[in-house]
Amino acid sequence: MADFQTSTQRAKWVFTPQKLAERYKAANQRAVQLLEKCGTTQVEVDASGSLTYPTENARDQAADKKLKPLSVDEERFMRAFYEAKVQEVCSAFEFPHKIQATALQYFKRFYLQWSVMQHHPKEIMLTCVYAACKIEENHVSAEEIGKGIKQDHHIILKYEMAVLQSLEFDLIVFAPYRAMEGFVSNMEEFLQARDDEIQKLESLLKAATAEADKIMLTDAPLLFPPGQLALAALRIANGVLGVVDFDRYLESIVSQPNSEHTTSHLSNLLDDIESLVKNYKYPSEKDMKHINRKLKSCLGHSSSHDESKKREKRSKHKSHRSSSDAPPNGPPAG
Amino acid sequence: MAEMEQPKKVADRYLKQEVLGQGTYGVVFKATDTKTGETVAIKKIRIGKHKEGVNITALREIKMLKELKHPHIILLIDAFPHKQNLHLVFEFMETDLEGVIRDSNVFLSPADVKSYLLMTLKGLAYCHEKRVLHRDMKPNNLLIGPDGQLKLADFGLARIFGSPDRKFTHQVFARWYRAPELLFGAKQYGAAVDVWAAGCIFAELLLRRPFLQGNSDIDQLSKIFAAFGTPKADQWPDMKNLPDYVEYQFVPAPSLRSLFPTVSEDALDLLSKMFTYDPKARISIKQALEHRYFTFAPSPTDPAKLPKPVRKQETKASYGKHEAIKGISPPRKIRRVMPEHGRPDGMKSHVDKDQQAPMSLDFTVLAERPPNRPTITSADRSHLKRKLDLDFQ
Ligand SMILES: Nc1ncnc2c1ncn2[C@@H]1O[C@H](COP(=O)(O)OP(=O)(O)O)[C@@H](O)[C@H]1O
Ligand SMILES: [Mg+2]
C-alpha cells in the first residue's frame, strides 16, 4: 500500500501529545478502577475474541491484600521493557525491519486501549509479532514462533483475535524504513552523487536504520507520520556521518511546489522526535523488579501466565468489545 | 467497568436474511442493519481453533479494504468477531457481472459493455495506484449494486506489490483468467496479471461466454496459444527464463477479428493490447483507460440504466449514495504529492502539546518509489537456537 495520506494510520493512529497522554491515563484508570472494585485487573480472553472481565465477587478471594496498581509511568516502563523484547524476538528470527515496526505499532496501539494490568504484555508482544508476520505476508506459524523462543504458542492463538479487534482491524502500518530508502535515493539526485558518495549514502541509510529502530521504541510512531520519523532518523545518522548538508536537503524538499512549510518548522518537528529519543527511558533492573511484582499481584497470579495451571473463571460476564468503544475517531471503515 | 463496555455491536444488530452466496471460506448472507436501516451483506468466517489462527484470506481482505476507498471498490463497513465467527459487513450488492453475462435475457449493447469494462478498469486502476494487485479478477467477483455501479470485491488474494524482487505464488486467479506468465510459473510479476484477467473479462462481455476455457494449466496455455499464436522469442524475450517454461508446438495466430467478428475496431485494438504476451509490453490499466475505445463513440451507458438480470426475490432497490458515472473521464488521479492546503497558518510552536504533527509534511511521496534494494522474503530460521529470556526475572 503506498498511500499514507489516505491511510487508516493517518486518519486514526497519529495523535497529539496531549491526546496520547490522555489515552494512557484513561487506560490506566480503567485498570485502577477494576482493581478497586474487583481486587484484580486481569481480563480473560478467548480465541474468538470474547472478553471476560473480573467481577466484584472476585474481591473476596483476593481478601484484604492491599493491592497497589501500576502508575502511568510504571506502565510505560513495562511497555518499554516488552517493546525491546519485540525487537529482540524479531532480530532473533531475522525478520525484516518492516515486520518489527509493524509489531511495535500493533503493540503500541493495543496499549492505547488497555492497561498492561489487564493483558500481560508478554503475551501481547508475542501475538503482535505473530500478527505482524501474517499481515506482512511473511507467514510463520504460531507454533514456529513459539518453538523458536520456547513459548507456548497457544497463547498467541488465543490472543490473536482480541489483538486484531483492539487494533480495530486497521492492519496496514506505515514504517519509516521504506520512506528512508526513498529519501536516500532522492538524496542521490540531490547530490548528483558520484560513486563514492553513493557508498556514503549507503552507509547513511544503514546508520539511519539503526536510528529508526530507536525511534520506534519511543512514542514518536504514535505522534508523527512515517516520513518525518524517516527524516529524523536520517538527520541523526547524518549528524555523525556528515554525508549531506541536511538543512539544505530539507530546504530542497520543503521548497517543492505547494509546500507552505518552512524548513525551520520541519526542522523543529525533527527536533521533537530527536528529543523523544534522547529522553527515552528504559527501566533499570531495580525498577523492573518492583513493577513486575506489582503487575503479578494485580493480575492475580504469582507466576506470569502459567497456562497449565487452570485459573478459575473469575466471571461469566462476557462482553464483546467493538470498535465503537475504542478510540473516538471516525467510523471504523471511514 | 464491565458495564461501561457493554456490547454495542453484536450480530443481533443485524437482522439476518437469506444466504447470498457461498464463498470459499465462508457463507455470505443478506442482512438489515437495524441501526441504519440499510441492507448489508455479511461474510461469516469461522474462527476455529486451527493452527493458523485467524483466517489469512479474511485478514487480507480486511487489511486491504480498510485502506481502499473508491466508488468501484466494495465498501467494507465493519469487521467484528461474534460467536466463533469473524463477520465482515459489506455494502449490499444486487448481483455480479457473471450473472449479467450468463443471463440470456439480458442484451448487452456495445455501450453497455463499455460501461461495465470502464467501471472495472477504474476500480483496478485505483488498486494499482495504491500498489495493490487484486489477483482474483473474474466476473463473479465484480459485484453490481442496486444503482448499477460495479465494484471490485473478494480481496482475499490481493497483495501489495511494493518491492520488485519479492516472490509471489503463481497459484492465483481462476484458471481461465490466468496470465501466461503465471501459467509458466512466474514468481515475480506485477500489475500486468490483473490486466490480462481484465482482458478476459472484456472478451467475456463481448462473447457472452468465458473466452479461454482451459481444463488444466497446460490446456489453458494451449487455449491461449490457439487464440493468439504461440509466442515467439522476439515477442516475449523473458518467456524462456520462466520456471515452468516448456516449448509448445508452434501455432500461428488467427486474426483477432475472426474471434470477435462483430466488435468495433477500437475494442479490438484495446483487446489486443490487453492480451499482449510480454507483461512488460502489455498495456497498463491507466493506459487502457486512456485508450480511444473509451473516448470514441458510443459513450458508455449510464450505470443506472444498465441491463441487469432479474432476481426472483428482487426487492425495490434503494438508489442514491454513489452518483452515476457520467461521460468517460479517466479516473480521478489521487494526488500523490503531499502538501495540503488550508492548514491554519501562523505555525504554532512545535512544543504545543495540542498540535498534531502536520502530516502534510510527510514527504512520503519521495519514499513511494520502489526500493532498489532487495528485501528479505522469508527468514531463514535454522540458526535460531537461542532461548530468549522474555520474562523479567
Ligand atoms: N457485498 C455483497 N453483496 C451481495 N452478495 C455478495 C457480496 N459479497 C459477496 N457476495 C456473494 O457471496 C459470494 C462469495 O463472496 P466472495 O467475496 O467472492 O468470497 P470468495 O472469496 O469465497 O469467493 C459472491 O460470489 C457473491 O455471490
Ligand atoms: Mg469470489
Side-chain angles (χ1 to χ4, degrees), chain B residues 20-30 40-43 57 61 74-75 89-96 98 136 138 140-141 143-144 153-157 311:
Chain B
L20 290 168
Q22 179 65 51
T24 39
Y25 67 101
V27 60
V28 180
F29 59 85
K30 191 174 174 177
V40 295
I42 301 183
K43 203 187 251 191
T57 316
E61 182 145 41
I74 190 79
L75 178 67
V89 183
F90 297 98
E91 62 182 318
F92 171 72
M93 302 297 276
E94 220 162 60
T95 181
D96 58 51
E98 188 178 27
D136 199 11
K138 56 181 181 182
N140 173 263
N141 285 337
L143 305 183
I144 297 166
D154 200 350
F155 279 71
L157 277 177
R311 272 200 182 182

Side-chain angles (χ1 to χ4, degrees), chain A residues 8-15 19 23 112-113 168 170 323-334, chain B residues 356:
Chain A
T8 52
Q9 179 166 341
R10 182 193 159 149
K12 294 167 65 184
W13 301 100
V14 182
F15 303 91
K19 183 79 204 162
R23 292 291 296 271
L112 293 171
Q113 336 272 35
E168 297 176 34
D170 292 333
S323 45
S324 58
D325 57 357
N329 304 300
Chain B
Q356 193 175 41

Side-chain angles (χ1 to χ4, degrees), chain B residues 232-248:
Chain B
K232 296 192 224 72
D234 62 329
Q235 255 177 302
W236 187 5
D238 301 330
M239 170 176 62
K240 290 197 161 66
N241 305 323
L242 292 171
D244 303 341
Y245 172 73
V246 280
E247 214 173 302
Y248 273 72

Side-chain angles (χ1 to χ4, degrees), chain A residues 35 38 45 77 104 121 132 143 185 269 298 321:
Chain A
L35 190 65
C38 313
V45 165
F77 267 164
L104 277 171
E143 204 171 344
S185 64
L269 293 165
C298 290
R321 292 186 82 252

